[in-house]
Amino acid sequence: MKQFFSVADVDDLSGIVNEALWLKKHPFAHEQLGKRKTLGLIFLNPSLRTRLSTQRAATNLGMDVMVMNMDKDGWTLETREGVTMNGTTVEHIREAAAVMGQYCEILGMRSFPKLQDREEDYSEDYFKKFMRYCQVPVVSLESATRHPLQSFTDLITIREHWQQPAKPRVVLAWAPHVKALPQAVPNSFSEWMCRAQEEGLVEFTIAHPEGYALAPQFTAGAAVTHNLDDALTGADFVYVKNWSSYTDYGKIIPVNENWLLDRSRLDITNGAKVMHCLPVRRDLELASDVLDSPHSLVIQEAGNRVWAAQTVLKRILEQL
């Protein structure tokens, strides 16, 4: 593995999940692998689970870790090519990324979309330039369109909590929110679940109101419904997440139906386990009587972020 940006960087889905679960049982088995190597974590946006879990994963592998919050500590970066920098930007991404690559064997970067220009966000221009100029392997800590470490974690969590021979029925369920959120997590979750479905690991359904369809390249092969109860019927895992409109880009389209997953609604599932990437707004995105019930996997899911990151870093280190 030379980079980690999407499920396309994984050639053996079952294998990498099994490796993560093995590392969970043997966290220090490879603590010499990263000795005297440095991981640089670059954040342009806030982080709790991603930052702490990736740091822990790196230290389990013997790595040193440097963290930089570019939105607070760094210079304002210019990403456009061929421009005279006589405005508010101070440093070009060409030099900034190249310098970071001089200090670290692996870099991780997190950057959110602006949700103003769909073409700009979905071009992933920022990430592509960063990867080009830094000249070292890059791990996505979330980009404008994907959050692969989270989705890898989600598949680990499903595998860990499903011990039956039959394929689990997995549902991605849209949830309400008070602000426009990116499509990165649902895009990525859909992409990973569609790949898992292709490999016979899950059955996958997406439930969302009219106007909230995700970009087609992330949902190929998924069943899609606009009726939440239909999707929940017989479900084994329900992944709850809000996202703003892709078609009417970055907008919140009014929804009249009740899309809140509460305890009573779980009665139509197959005793489903409920997942969410966190942070979650209680009783807006997900009911407290679900979050506080044995059905909730949100804490275990967050804990598994360590093993997803550690597996990715291990595979990259093995190629250095």
Side-chain angles (χ1 to χ4, degrees):
M1 184 178 287
K2 297 181 179 179
Q3 65 173 30
F4 188 70
F5 186 75
S6 77
V7 72
D9 296 310
V10 177
D11 57 8
D12 55 337
L13 206 57
S14 289
I16 200 170
V17 171
N18 289 336
E19 185 175 353
L21 290 171
W22 187 90
L23 284 171
K24 185 172 183 176
K25 295 178 180 178
H26 309 90
F28 306 112
H30 302 278
E31 60 184 342
Q32 295 300 313
L33 187 61
K35 187 175 181 180
R36 297 184 180 174
K37 292 183 173 62
T38 299
L39 171 68
L41 300 179
I42 314 302
F43 291 95
L44 283 80
N45 301 95
S47 177
L48 189 160
R49 281 150 294 275
T50 298
R51 174 173 173 169
L52 296 181
S53 63
T54 309
Q55 284 186 268
R56 174 61 190 272
T59 57
N60 284 353
L61 292 167
M63 300 187 77
D64 294 317
V65 183
M66 297 193 297
V67 179
M68 185 163 189
N69 297 303
M70 289 294 292
D71 58 335
K72 302 177 182 66
D73 306 324
W75 301 112
T76 306
L77 295 184
E78 178 61 68
T79 60
R80 295 172 298 168
E81 304 290 356
V83 297
T84 301
M85 291 174 54
N86 58 1
T88 58
T89 55
V90 177
E91 184 165 16
H92 202 282
I93 194 171
R94 282 175 174 263
E95 288 77 48
V99 167
M100 293 175 194
Q102 293 288 303
Y103 302 148
C104 305
E105 279 75 22
I106 303 174
L107 287 167
M109 191 178 80
R110 181 184 184 97
S111 176
F112 291 171
K114 298 176 183 177
L115 290 179
Q116 297 170 357
D117 184 326
R118 188 174 77 182
E119 183 176 350
E120 178 185 343
D121 287 343
Y122 273 69
S123 73
E124 291 287 8
D125 180 66
Y126 201 107
F127 248 87
K128 288 177 181 177
K129 286 178 178 173
F130 187 84
M131 288 190 287
R132 183 191 316 153
Y133 298 135
C134 73
Q135 295 294 301
V136 297
V138 174
V139 175
S140 170
L141 307 177
E142 189 171 1
S143 72
T145 64
R146 292 175 172 91
H147 195 347
L149 281 176
Q150 178 65 57
S151 303
F152 180 21
T153 298
D154 300 332
L155 187 55
I156 292 167
T157 305
I158 291 169
R159 172 71 68 82
E160 184 178 37
H161 292 271
W162 183 257
Q163 304 299 327
Q164 303 180 35
K167 292 180 288 188
R169 295 190 58 197
V170 179
V171 175
L172 170 62
W174 182 91
H177 207 285
V178 294
K179 59 185 289 189
L181 297 185
Q183 297 105 34
V185 169
N187 280 349
S188 197
F189 184 78
S190 298
E191 192 172 46
W192 281 70
M193 289 302 120
C194 287
R195 168 81 175 271
Q197 182 169 260
E198 288 176 7
E199 298 189 13
L201 303 178
V202 303
E203 293 180 10
F204 182 49
T205 299
I206 303 171
H208 62 74
E210 295 277 359
Y212 283 96
L214 296 168
Q217 65 262 35
F218 298 103
T219 61
V224 179
T225 178
H226 302 309
N227 187 304
L228 179 58
D229 288 343
D230 284 352
L232 293 177
T233 303
D236 299 303
F237 293 88
V238 182
Y239 196 92
V240 177
K241 185 71 179 79
N242 173 266
W243 62 89
S244 58
S245 175
Y246 171 77
T247 305
D248 194 3
Y249 191 63
K251 301 297 189 298
I252 298 176
I253 300 171
V255 175
N256 296 322
E257 299 87 357
N258 177 18
W259 279 76
L260 177 67
L261 180 64
D262 57 19
R263 185 65 185 81
S264 63
R265 237 173 180 155
L266 283 178
D267 291 340
I268 63 175
T269 71
N270 185 31
K273 296 295 186 180
V274 179
M275 303 169 67
H276 189 287
C277 62
L278 301 181
V280 61
R281 296 197 181 212
R282 284 175 170 259
D283 299 310
L284 176 65
E285 291 179 88
L286 189 54
S288 291
D289 62 4
V290 174
L291 279 166
D292 298 330
S293 78
H295 289 270
S296 175
L297 290 180
V298 298
I299 302 304
Q300 298 93 321
E301 182 183 0
N304 281 339
R305 290 294 304 274
V306 174
W307 318 116
Q310 187 165 335
T311 307
V312 168
L313 292 173
K314 172 182 172 289
R315 288 195 168 195
I316 293 175
L317 285 167
E318 288 170 340
Q319 297 298 310
L320 293 180

